[in-house]
Amino acid sequence: MKSIYSLLLVGIALLTSCTEEIKIILGSTDPELVVEGAITTDTLAHIITLKRTAYYFSNQQAGCVTGATVTLSDGTNEIILTEDPLQKGNYLTPANYYGVAGHTYTLNISNVDINNDSTKEIYTSSCYLNNVPRIDSMSVEKKQVFYQNAFAVRISMQDPANETNYYLFRNWKNGICLSDSIDEWGITDDQFFNGKYLKNESVMYLFPKEKPDENVTPGDTIKVEMCGITKDYLSYINEVVDEYRGRNPLFGGQPANIRTNIKRAFPLSQDGKGARGYFAAYSVAWKQTIYKEKQ
């Protein structure tokens, strides 16, 4: 018992000991290219956004990268993206462009000098475009979730057998995306339902108390977007969300940079990368319904 009391006294002394403020001086690093964008099977002007990294404590937005040469290839044909004259740093495909499942898409970025050393750099990234099954039906049901009112978005679909699939879900209401930030996206793999038919399976929830724009009233058009993504892109989304929400210091792992599939091809960086962000390619399936309250 004396030993236990001694340990308790030592623990209390450590917890109540004085603390000293420590000033940490962060060193500066060269700016890096940040790439964000995706090619999908939808027909539209796809956007690739180029920016520079900014200092952590900077109160200014990250600067956009203008004047770059951006090309996109599907292995057979190559196109040149056009910079948006109204939103600098955004590079657009033609409005009638769409991706095709089964192709690998390669993005090349050149004519840029991100670190201002008078040497033009070249960056590249590739992503395979997976297929996605069709959505047979969808419904929206009001229910209690975690002791609060919510709307469950449910779908019916056949998950392909003999392959591993990775899914990304987003919700839309009356033409406006409700899942408008990456931490609100729904992602999953088919580990527990591979090859099965999902009937009225809940894939996302809307919580009006937390976000008033997620309140659904009779007559609202609710649309679900289901994307067939790669395993690496799913891991990237998970890592971004983990960093955004923060980690438990007692149970979290060692901090590390979020993965990226953007590589600096010239001058070749020591780690083969030298950039941030992600270039994705994926198929998209849509389904919508008009919400009606059950009588």
Side-chain angles (χ1 to χ4, degrees), residues 2-270:
K2 289 182 179 180
S3 299
I4 294 175
Y5 288 139
S6 298
L7 290 173
L8 287 174
L9 289 174
V10 171
I12 293 172
L14 290 173
L15 291 174
T16 59
S17 61
C18 297
T19 59
E20 181 180 352
E21 182 179 351
I22 299 176
K23 293 184 179 180
I24 300 176
I25 300 176
L26 300 178
S28 61
T29 59
D30 290 334
E32 293 182 307
L33 177 67
V34 180
V35 181
E36 183 178 359
I39 299 301
T40 76
T41 51
D42 284 343
T43 302
L44 50 82
H46 297 79
I47 303 174
I48 304 296
T49 301
L50 306 183
K51 293 183 179 180
R52 287 180 172 86
T53 55
Y55 293 116
Y56 181 81
F57 293 107
S58 174
N59 58 2
Q60 298 180 352
Q61 293 184 349
C64 60
V65 177
T66 64
T69 300
V70 182
T71 64
L72 182 66
S73 171
D74 63 358
T76 302
N77 301 307
E78 182 178 87
I79 63 169
I80 299 176
L81 279 66
T82 303
E83 186 172 8
D84 189 335
L86 301 179
Q87 295 185 349
K88 294 295 184 180
N90 285 351
Y91 295 81
L92 310 177
T93 69
N96 61 350
Y97 190 85
Y98 59 92
V100 177
H103 288 231
T104 296
Y105 287 83
T106 300
L107 181 73
N108 281 295
I109 302 163
S110 60
N111 195 38
V112 293
D113 182 9
I114 302 300
N115 57 8
N116 299 315
D117 65 350
S118 300
T119 299
K120 296 292 186 180
E121 301 136 17
I122 300 175
Y123 298 85
T124 186
S125 178
S126 295
C127 188
Y128 183 78
L129 199 155
N130 284 322
N131 201 356
V132 69
R134 71 176 187 180
I135 303 173
D136 293 330
S137 63
M138 71 164 293
S139 62
V140 179
E141 180 183 344
K142 189 175 183 179
K143 60 183 303 184
Q144 285 280 316
V145 180
F146 302 127
Y147 303 103
Q148 61 175 302
N149 291 327
F151 295 91
V153 179
R154 297 180 168 181
I155 65 169
S156 296
M157 55 160 280
Q158 174 66 58
D159 180 76
N162 302 320
E163 62 182 64
T164 303
N165 301 95
Y166 304 90
Y167 297 104
L168 160 65
F169 294 94
R170 287 187 281 250
N171 284 323
W172 298 68
K173 184 181 82 171
N174 299 329
I176 299 175
C177 184
L178 299 177
S179 316
D180 53 3
S181 61
I182 193 170
D183 64 304
E184 296 177 316
W185 297 355
I187 52 174
T188 187
D189 59 34
D190 63 358
Q191 179 180 0
F192 298 107
F193 55 84
N194 183 40
K196 296 181 179 179
Y197 188 84
L198 303 182
K199 187 173 182 179
N200 295 327
E201 186 72 24
S202 297
V203 293
M204 294 193 75
Y205 293 93
L206 305 177
F207 294 97
K209 185 177 180 180
E210 298 176 5
K211 288 190 65 179
D213 62 340
E214 292 188 353
N215 186 47
V216 180
T217 58
D220 285 339
T221 298
I222 305 299
K223 181 164 59 175
V224 64
E225 175 188 6
M226 182 175 71
C227 311
I229 62 176
T230 63
K231 179 181 179 180
D232 193 66
Y233 188 43
L234 181 142
S235 298
Y236 167 80
I237 296 170
N238 268 326
E239 291 174 13
V240 171
V241 173
D242 284 345
E243 292 300 322
Y244 172 77
R245 294 177 178 172
R247 302 187 181 198
N248 187 315
L250 295 179
F251 303 103
Q254 293 293 329
N257 287 327
I258 297 168
R259 73 183 60 209
T260 177
N261 66 349
I262 314 298
K263 298 181 179 181
R264 193 175 72 193
F266 180 84
L268 188 63
S269 60
Q270 292 183 352

